[in-house]
């Protein structure tokens, strides 16, 4: 299942031939079961790229996030008196 941002990106629809080394047995079983190997590889790669992008964002913003969490621990949630839950 591809991410929505992947599907909505016009550049994502252009294909590029590439070489990928995969286990012969795995490819044979995938074909036997009617699995589109190219699409499965692309979807897996899209998930891996998304995960790496998220990890990089967290690393780049770690100081700000920790500062925000520290402030909330000290001062509480802003406007919490207006929360209904």
């Amino acid at each position: 299942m591809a991410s929505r941002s992947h599907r909505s990106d016009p550049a994502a629809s252009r294909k590029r031939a590439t070489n990928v080394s995969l286990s012969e047995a795995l490819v044979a079983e995938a074909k036997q079961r009617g699995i589109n190997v190219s699409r499965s590889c692309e979807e897996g790669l899209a998930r891996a790229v998304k995960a790496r992008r998220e990890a990089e964002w967290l690393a780049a913003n770690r100081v700000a996030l920790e500062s925000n969490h520290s402030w909330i621990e000290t001062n509480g949630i802003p406007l919490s008196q207006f929360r209904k839950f």
Side-chain angles (χ1 to χ4, degrees):
M1 162 188 268
S3 66
R4 288 176 21 189
S5 63
H6 176 72
R7 288 213 184 271
S8 64
D9 181 4
S13 63
R14 291 191 302 258
K15 302 291 182 183
R16 176 178 178 225
T18 188
N19 292 325
V20 177
S21 297
L22 303 169
S23 159
E24 285 184 29
L26 187 60
V27 171
E29 185 173 353
K31 287 186 178 192
Q32 178 185 17
R33 297 179 185 283
I35 296 170
N36 182 314
V37 175
S38 293
R39 185 176 354 189
S40 297
C41 288
E42 184 174 8
E43 289 170 356
L45 183 58
R47 283 192 302 272
V49 167
K50 180 179 184 278
R52 180 64 57 91
R53 193 180 300 137
E54 290 171 353
E56 290 170 354
W57 185 92
L58 282 173
N61 291 284
R62 184 165 315 284
V63 172
L65 292 168
E66 289 172 354
S67 173
N68 185 51
H69 292 157
S70 176
W71 189 92
I72 289 173
E73 285 178 8
T74 302
N75 301 294
I77 298 173
L79 305 174
S80 63
Q81 68 269 27
F82 299 110
R83 295 177 78 177
K84 304 274 187 200
F85 53 94

